[in-house]
């Protein structure tokens, strides 16, 4: 009598390892920067000021792939701006940048390999009576799920900033992270620290009331 064929035992189930995580982007330096993105006014403009600085992560290392956007009022306080930052040549279709005449109030610049950035602009005026002039700054960087909001104030507005009720809860040393430092005539430095010691104050904007609130925001790690 023929012995029945027996099926081979099924192999033991192999445990599945975790799928490796990957971070693909965001690549802020690709497509978003544009020609003359930091030149709100041309070189040689009699009222131009230079604002520059570095972006540092929580370990104090420079962030070479951050992207910064600036929005500001002009010296008269008008926040209307003007079109033209992203002009394209109608013939070639290539980015032509600004026309060198109209003040758009907008800048977009990437940090370089050293985490450094620079814009050439005009001193902002108060956008409403008794308002403290400032440049609004948005920070995009690796490790950030959402961009960060902050402000740049020139040192000549330090007293007005200290009296601003929106920042009344901040101690002076924290409020100082919103102030640029004068390095020379019409040249200022403003470093951004995403975390750690001397972390820059970042802002939250609740729906009501329409006033910024200084709030801790997780930075890049």
């Amino acid at each position: 009598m023929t012995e029945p064929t027996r099926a081979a035992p099924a192999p033991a189930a192999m445990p599945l390892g975790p799928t490796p995580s990957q971070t693909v982007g965001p690549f802020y330096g690709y497509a978003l920067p544009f020609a003359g993105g930091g030149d709100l006014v041309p070189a040689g403009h009699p009222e131009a000021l230079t604002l520059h600085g570095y972006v540092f992560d929580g370990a104090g290392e420079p962030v070479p792939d951050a992207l910064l956007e600036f929005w500001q009022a002009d010296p008269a306080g008008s926040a209307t701006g003007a079109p033209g930052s992203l002009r394209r040549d109608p013939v070639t279709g290539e980015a032509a940048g600004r026309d060198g005449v109209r003040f758009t109030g907008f800048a977009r610049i990437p940090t370089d390999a050293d985490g450094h950035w620079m814009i050439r602009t005009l001193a902002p005026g108060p956008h409403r009576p008794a308002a403290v002039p400032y440049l609004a700054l948005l920070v995009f960087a690796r490790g950030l799920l959402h961009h960060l909001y902050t402000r740049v104030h020139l040192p000549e507005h330090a007293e007005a900033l200290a009296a601003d009720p929106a920042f009344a809860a901040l101690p002076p040393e924290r409020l100082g992270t919103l102030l640029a430092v004068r390095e020379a005539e019409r040249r200022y430095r403003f470093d951004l620290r995403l975390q750690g010691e001397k972390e820059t104050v970042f802002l939250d904007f609740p729906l009501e009331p329409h006033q910024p609130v200084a709030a801790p925001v997780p930075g890049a790690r």
Side-chain angles (χ1 to χ4, degrees):
M1 184 175 180
T2 304
E3 185 175 349
T5 303
R6 298 179 181 275
M14 298 293 291
L16 298 177
T19 302
S21 62
Q22 297 183 10
T23 301
V24 181
F27 302 109
Y28 293 119
Y30 177 74
L32 292 177
F34 59 93
D39 296 327
L40 284 85
V41 292
H45 189 291
E47 299 178 13
L49 61 83
T50 298
L51 180 66
H52 78 109
Y54 292 82
V55 180
F56 297 104
D57 64 16
E61 297 296 325
V63 180
D65 53 359
L67 186 76
L68 308 182
E69 286 190 356
F70 292 84
W71 301 77
Q72 68 165 100
D74 66 16
S78 172
T80 303
S85 296
L86 302 174
R87 285 188 319 126
R88 291 192 172 274
D89 188 304
V91 177
T92 66
E94 296 180 355
R98 309 173 197 277
D99 61 13
V101 177
R102 294 176 293 181
F103 184 77
T104 67
F106 171 72
R108 178 189 291 158
I109 49 172
T111 54
D112 65 15
D114 297 320
H116 184 254
W117 57 270
M118 186 274 287
I119 65 171
R120 184 183 299 109
T121 187
L122 300 176
H127 60 283
R128 65 173 183 270
V132 185
Y134 65 90
L135 293 84
L137 172 55
L138 280 70
V139 185
F140 303 80
R142 53 182 165 87
L144 295 179
L145 297 180
H146 301 284
H147 49 271
L148 304 177
Y149 296 90
T150 189
R151 289 181 175 182
V152 184
H153 292 268
L154 300 181
E156 46 264 43
H157 302 138
E159 291 187 9
L161 176 61
D164 191 328
F167 302 101
L170 285 178
E173 64 273 14
R174 296 288 291 130
L175 193 61
T177 67
L178 300 178
L179 285 169
V181 176
R182 186 193 302 273
E183 290 188 323
E185 182 66 23
R186 311 195 72 79
R187 190 179 78 209
Y188 302 85
R189 176 168 171 171
F190 184 82
D191 291 339
L192 280 155
R193 300 183 184 276
L194 302 182
Q195 278 189 327
E197 186 179 1
K198 298 181 180 180
E199 176 183 317
T200 300
V201 168
F202 297 107
L203 307 174
D204 187 21
F205 287 86
L207 294 178
E208 293 292 342
H210 297 289
Q211 288 291 333
V213 175
V217 181
R221 298 184 182 275

